[in-house]
Amino acid sequence: MSNLILDVKDLKKSFVTPVENILLFENLNLQVHEGESVVIAGKSGSGKSTLLNIIAALDHPDSGSVIMKGENLNNLKEEELTVFRQKVLGLVFQFHHLLKDFTALENVFLPAYMAGVPKKSAMEKARALLEDVGLADRASHLPGQLSGGERQRVAVARSLINDPQIVLADEPTGNLDPENALLIGDLLFNITKRYKKSLLMVTHDMKLAKKGSITYFLENRKLVKEN
């Protein structure tokens, strides 16, 4: 078995509302190994995005642990988590979160530059990644000058700029039309494989879900592996 990148143990998460206590999941366990593309599918409201946010240490579980590259994220302070995310995680969200006043190239380059990579090296890598996602000729365009699919391709390129161990993708095709959804989905699987990265994606798109090397369904508060 290849190296273990992510080990989620006995995770529990609930929300308290004025009328009820909503249990999203409990005793949830998940492992992702080096080079795997793991997809978690489920209905809207099943807790998929919350689970991914907990794995990215953007949210906290009620109990349980997230161990990534041997590091228990529960034990890290906020500033340590920021550095950890820079080095280990690539993130792609449903909304691209591009900076509107910066070009596509600058949006891809900035996370590396902020992590201390020399400007010239960061720019060169950003250009190469934009070429890999088919946007070499759009590098100088602002997000407002790009289509929805192009903006999401920039976000995919940005997720790889710091050479992460694993890319976490939260409904990455959720805001796209069917044609672009197919393109972005295929791009994520192909480019993470090419760069030898693990991929953990959550989606409600069943066509996309079945393309993973391993597919789970989040239902009845548990992860169920597709046979």
Side-chain angles (χ1 to χ4, degrees), residues 28-143:
L28 186 147
N29 296 280
L30 172 69
Q31 291 187 333
V32 179
H33 292 85
E34 205 171 70
E36 286 181 338
S37 56
V38 177
V39 182
I40 299 172
K43 295 177 181 176
S44 180
S46 62
K48 303 184 306 296
S49 292
T50 300
L51 173 58
L52 207 71
N53 282 336
I54 290 172
I55 290 170
L58 299 170
D59 196 356
H60 301 284
D62 299 346
S63 59
S65 59
V66 176
I67 299 167
M68 199 174 296
K69 293 292 289 179
E71 191 82 64
N72 189 332
L73 302 192
N74 291 346
N75 298 334
L76 299 183
K77 298 175 182 177
E78 193 54 49
E79 57 268 28
E80 292 172 324
L81 283 171
T82 299
V83 173
F84 186 84
R85 287 190 206 100
Q86 284 180 339
K87 291 181 177 179
V88 179
L89 295 181
L91 299 170
V92 181
F93 298 99
Q94 182 171 348
F95 185 70
H96 54 77
H97 293 297
L98 299 181
L99 300 171
K100 65 182 180 66
D101 296 324
F102 290 80
T103 65
L105 180 64
E106 289 165 340
N107 267 283
V108 176
F109 141 87
L110 271 173
Y113 186 59
M114 291 172 68
V117 177
K119 185 174 182 179
K120 183 179 179 182
S121 298
M123 279 287 192
E124 286 175 354
K125 187 167 185 182
R127 286 189 191 280
L129 282 166
L130 282 176
E131 186 169 351
D132 278 349
V133 300
L135 290 179
D137 60 337
R138 311 288 275 169
S140 61
H141 287 63
L142 297 171

Side-chain angles (χ1 to χ4, degrees), residues 150-218:
E150 288 172 333
R151 288 193 288 268
Q152 200 64 331
R153 279 192 268 165
V154 175
V156 171
R158 180 183 58 190
S159 75
L160 292 165
I161 188 70
N162 280 333
D163 197 25
Q165 297 288 316
I166 184 170
V167 174
L168 306 181
D170 181 11
E171 294 281 7
T173 64
N175 281 337
L176 303 175
D177 61 77
E179 183 181 355
N180 273 303
L182 182 64
L183 289 171
I184 293 297
D186 285 345
L187 172 64
L188 263 168
F189 286 117
N190 291 335
I191 201 165
T192 50
K193 184 177 181 180
R194 190 188 321 156
Y195 278 85
K196 296 181 173 59
K197 307 301 177 188
S198 302
L199 173 66
L200 177 60
M201 180 191 299
V202 303
T203 183
H204 65 271
D205 184 336
M206 296 311 301
K207 287 182 180 178
L208 192 58
K210 292 181 184 298
K211 293 184 177 183
S213 57
I214 301 172
T215 302
Y216 293 92
F217 295 94
L218 183 54

Side-chain angles (χ1 to χ4, degrees), residues 13-33:
K13 182 66 176 179
S14 59
F15 288 103
V16 178
T17 74
V19 294
E20 62 180 331
N21 186 358
I22 300 172
L23 180 61
L24 282 180
F25 43 79
E26 61 179 343
N27 299 321
L28 186 147
N29 296 280
L30 172 69
Q31 291 187 333
V32 179
H33 292 85

